[in-house]
Amino acid sequence: MRQIHCHSGLAGAIGALVVLCLGLTLAPLAQAQEGETRERSARSEASLSTRVGQRLLDLMEAEAEGHWQIAHDGYRDLLRLDGLTPYEQAAILKMLGRARYELDDTSGAIAAWQQAVELDALPDEDANVLRINAGQLLLGEGEYRDGVELIEAALTRGTPLSGDLALRLAQGYGQLQDYRTGLRYGRIAFEAAEEPGRQHFSILLFFYQQMDLVPQQTELMGQMITRWPDEKSYWTSYASLLARSGREQDAFEVNRILYLNGMLETSTELVRLAQYYSYYEYPFGGAEIMEREFNAGRIDPTPENYQLLANLWRQAREWDRALPVLRRIATLTGAGPDYEKLGEALYQAGDFSEAEAMFVQAINQGGLDRPGDTWNLVGTVRVETDDLEGAIAAFEEALAWDYSRAGAQGWISFVEQKIAIGLQGERMQDQVNIEACELEIERMRRSPPMGEDEVDSEGIRIFPRMDDLCRTYFDQYGQLHPEYDRA
C-alpha cells in the first residue's frame, strides 16, 4: 500500500490551530487486482473468454515480476479487441487502473476505475472497492466533492463504514467546509478507534474550532494534554481556551505550570505570564519573573517591556526596585510621561527634591495627558520641602486647566493658611524673645558697668555683651529695632 500526500488546500482555507492533511492509505485493492490467482481466472471462464482470460493471466505474471509498464500496455491493447463483453471491459479496466496507479499515473488510475464502475458489470463488492480506491485518490488530488461522493456511493451499496473510511470522509468534508457533516464522520472515526491517535483528536478539534464549539474544544484539549503532556502547543491552546471560557484563573495556573516546567521560552510568552500575575493582583510575582528573565536575556529589552516591569513594581509598592527601571525607561524614551512616572516613584520613596526635578522635566518634555495634574504634583513636593512660595507658583500654573483647577485652588488655600500660621507663629515667638531680652537688658541696666567698653564716647551706657538672640531685636543701647516696635 502506498501513501497519497495531500495538497495544501485545507491548511490555507482554515487558518486554525490544527492543520489537517489528507494522508490517505489506499484500502486493499479488490481481490481481482491483488489476490487474483489462476484458480479464480479459471472460475471466471463463464464471464471471460479464453483469449481474454489467458492474456490477463500472462499480464498478471508480468505484474508479479514488477513489469508494470508491460502490464499496462498489455491491458490497453486488450481493450482494443473487438467483441469484448461489458464484464471483460470492466475486468481489464480494473487491472489497467492498478497498473497506472503503480506507475504513478493517479488521474489515469481514477479514470480507469471509474469507467469500470460505470459499466455496471462487476459484482457489488468489487465495484465498491474501486469506488473507495478512486474516491481516496480523488481526495488526494483535491477533488473533494467527487471523492466523498464515490466513497459514500460504496457505503450505500453495502460497504460497511469503518473508522478508517469515516476519517477519510471527515477530512474530505473538512476541505469542503461542510463542518457539520465532517464532524459527524469525525466522531464516528474517533469512537471506532481502539486507541484514538493524534489524527482523530486533530480532526475533531478542527471541526470544533470551525463551529466555535468552545466547551467541546476545551474538553478535548484537556484530554490531549493528558495524553501528550510534552506538547507545548497543546498546553498553550488549552490555556487560551480556558481564558475564552471565562476560566481565567485556570488559564493562569496552566501558564504557571508551563513556566515551572521550562516550556515558556519566547519573550511574548514570558511577558504574557507576567501580565497574568498583574491581573490576579500578584504583581510582585510577575515583576520577579520579568526581572529574572530580563537578566537571562529571554525578554526583549523594549521600552514597553520595561514599562510593564516598572508598573508591576509600582503596583507592588516596591518603589526602590521600580526606580532603576523607571530611570532606564526615561533615559531610553525621553518622554514626558516617563519622567512623570519616575517623579511619582521618587515622591513615594521620599526623595522630594529629585521628584520635583523629574516632574518639571516631564512638563518641559511635553506629551503629558494632564499637565495640570503634573503642576499640582510639583506644588505638592514643594510643600514637602517647605518651599511654600514655590508651591503656590506651581499650583497657580495648574489653574489653567479645568480638571486641575479645583485641586489647585484647594492647595493654594491650604498653603496660604500654612504661611499665615507660620507668620503668626513667628510673631508670637518674636514677642516671647523680645520680652525675655527686655528682662535681660533691664537686669544689666541695674548693674554697674563692668568695663569701659560698656560706655560709649559720650558716656551713655551700652550693652556689648548682649547675646546674639537679643541683638536680633535690640541695638547696643538696648533699644528695640523699629521693625519689631510694638507701637
Side-chain angles (χ1 to χ4, degrees):
M1 293 187 289
R2 289 166 43 200
Q3 287 287 330
I4 300 174
H5 299 291
C6 72
H7 290 261
S8 61
L10 186 58
I14 62 180
L17 293 173
V18 182
V19 178
L20 301 181
C21 179
L22 291 171
L24 305 178
T25 303
L26 283 178
L29 296 174
Q31 291 179 349
Q33 293 172 292
E34 199 164 49
E36 193 164 8
T37 62
R38 292 176 183 274
E39 181 180 352
R40 176 177 173 84
S41 295
R43 292 199 308 269
S44 303
E45 289 177 355
S47 300
L48 295 175
S49 63
T50 302
R51 60 173 184 166
V52 173
Q54 186 57 53
R55 183 58 178 151
L56 286 179
L57 289 174
D58 294 339
L59 294 175
M60 289 174 65
E61 288 181 353
E63 285 184 0
E65 295 174 1
H67 301 311
W68 291 104
Q69 189 63 54
I70 293 173
H72 171 274
D73 294 343
Y75 294 136
R76 191 176 56 189
D77 291 342
L78 268 176
L79 286 173
R80 297 192 182 102
L81 296 177
D82 294 330
L84 293 175
T85 65
Y87 177 80
E88 289 174 328
Q89 293 179 57
I92 297 168
L93 285 167
K94 181 168 59 174
M95 303 303 287
L96 177 62
R98 163 68 179 267
R100 286 177 175 174
Y101 173 71
E102 294 294 341
L103 291 170
D104 292 326
D105 180 6
T106 302
S107 59
I110 293 170
W113 287 336
Q114 286 184 307
Q115 290 176 41
V117 170
E118 288 168 0
L119 287 168
D120 198 23
L122 294 172
D124 285 344
E125 182 180 354
D126 288 355
N128 281 342
V129 171
L130 294 186
R131 288 186 179 99
I132 291 171
N133 285 343
Q136 292 179 87
L137 290 177
L138 285 166
L139 292 176
E141 291 295 296
E143 299 293 334
Y144 307 115
R145 177 62 63 189
D146 292 340
V148 297
E149 286 180 353
L150 266 180
I151 294 174
E152 287 184 327
L155 298 179
T156 60
R157 288 168 172 79
T159 296
L161 177 59
S162 64
D164 184 65
L165 284 180
L167 185 61
R168 284 155 168 67
L169 288 167
Q171 292 168 327
Y173 277 108
Q175 296 279 14
L176 292 169
Q177 299 183 21
D178 183 349
Y179 303 129
R180 190 169 300 279
T181 304
L183 175 58
R184 177 167 59 84
Y185 280 119
R187 282 174 170 159
I188 292 172
F190 190 93
E191 293 167 2
E194 182 176 343
E195 184 74 18
R198 290 180 192 260
Q199 59 182 345
H200 297 94
F201 282 93
S202 295
I203 193 73
L204 282 184
L205 186 60
F206 165 71
F207 288 121
Y208 289 154
Q209 289 167 344
Q210 299 309 304
M211 300 173 72
D212 201 28
L213 301 174
V214 176
Q216 290 86 340
Q217 290 181 61
T218 307
E219 180 183 356
L220 189 68
M221 191 59 74
Q223 297 177 40
M224 293 173 73
I225 63 172
T226 302
R227 190 86 173 271
W228 297 285
D230 295 331
E231 285 289 344
K232 174 183 171 181
S233 62
Y234 294 169
W235 283 94
T236 54
S237 297
Y238 186 50
S240 176
L241 287 166
L242 288 170
R244 285 188 61 195
S245 302
R247 297 167 60 184
E248 290 284 354
Q249 183 67 47
D250 292 334
F252 175 43
E253 294 301 328
V254 169
N255 276 281
R256 287 183 61 190
I257 292 170
L258 284 169
Y259 181 70
L260 294 173
N261 286 287
M263 299 174 76
L264 296 184
E265 300 173 342
T266 69
S267 177
T268 301
E269 291 170 338
L270 294 166
V271 168
R272 183 170 59 243
L273 176 62
Q275 289 170 328
Y276 265 118
Y277 275 86
S278 174
Y279 183 81
Y280 285 104
E281 299 183 358
Y282 185 34
F284 186 89
E288 282 201 316
I289 288 174
M290 286 202 73
E291 191 170 83
R292 184 185 310 124
E293 299 304 337
F294 264 125
N295 293 335
R298 298 208 301 164
I299 289 183
D300 297 334
T302 63
E304 294 76 17
N305 288 340
Y306 280 119
Q307 287 278 16
L308 176 58
L309 175 57
N311 288 338
L312 289 169
W313 284 133
R314 290 168 66 208
Q315 290 173 32
R317 305 191 70 77
E318 293 285 336
W319 305 109
D320 289 341
R321 301 181 76 168
L323 279 173
V325 184
L326 290 167
R327 290 186 195 280
R328 184 184 187 99
I329 295 168
T331 302
L332 282 173
T333 67
D338 294 330
Y339 279 105
E340 183 178 40
K341 290 176 182 176
L342 175 56
E344 290 172 349
L346 288 163
Y347 177 80
Q348 293 293 339
D351 191 343
F352 302 124
S353 295
E354 191 176 0
E356 177 190 349
M358 292 304 101
F359 287 139
V360 173
Q361 180 75 347
I363 293 168
N364 292 337
Q365 292 298 108
L368 301 175
D369 291 334
R370 295 169 67 93
D373 289 345
T374 311
W375 275 115
N376 276 336
L377 289 170
V378 173
T380 302
V381 293
R382 288 178 177 173
V383 170
E384 295 288 351
T385 58
D386 284 328
D387 179 9
L388 301 183
E389 295 296 336
I392 288 178
F395 293 133
E396 286 176 344
E397 292 285 351
L399 295 174
W401 290 271
D402 291 340
Y403 58 81
S404 57
R405 183 174 298 128
Q409 287 172 335
W411 271 107
I412 289 172
S413 298
F414 170 77
V415 174
E416 287 178 341
Q417 186 177 12
K418 184 178 179 68
I419 292 173
I421 292 173
L423 291 173
Q424 184 178 3
E426 289 176 6
R427 286 194 294 270
M428 291 177 66
Q429 186 61 52
D430 286 340
Q431 187 61 39
V432 171
N433 293 338
I434 288 169
E435 289 176 358
C437 288
E438 285 177 335
L439 290 173
E440 178 62 18
I441 293 169
E442 184 61 28
R443 183 189 65 76
M444 288 189 291
R445 283 184 194 281
R446 289 197 297 265
S447 301
M450 297 178 63
E452 294 181 357
D453 63 337
E454 291 191 3
V455 179
D456 70 6
S457 60
E458 297 180 358
I460 300 174
R461 182 72 180 271
I462 61 175
F463 306 98
R465 278 176 279 280
M466 187 186 305
D467 63 33
D468 291 339
L469 177 62
C470 291
R471 291 177 188 277
T472 303
Y473 303 100
F474 293 89
D475 63 18
Q476 65 178 343
Y477 295 101
Q479 298 299 312
L480 187 65
H481 292 309
E483 61 266 30
Y484 295 107
D485 192 345
R486 283 170 293 182

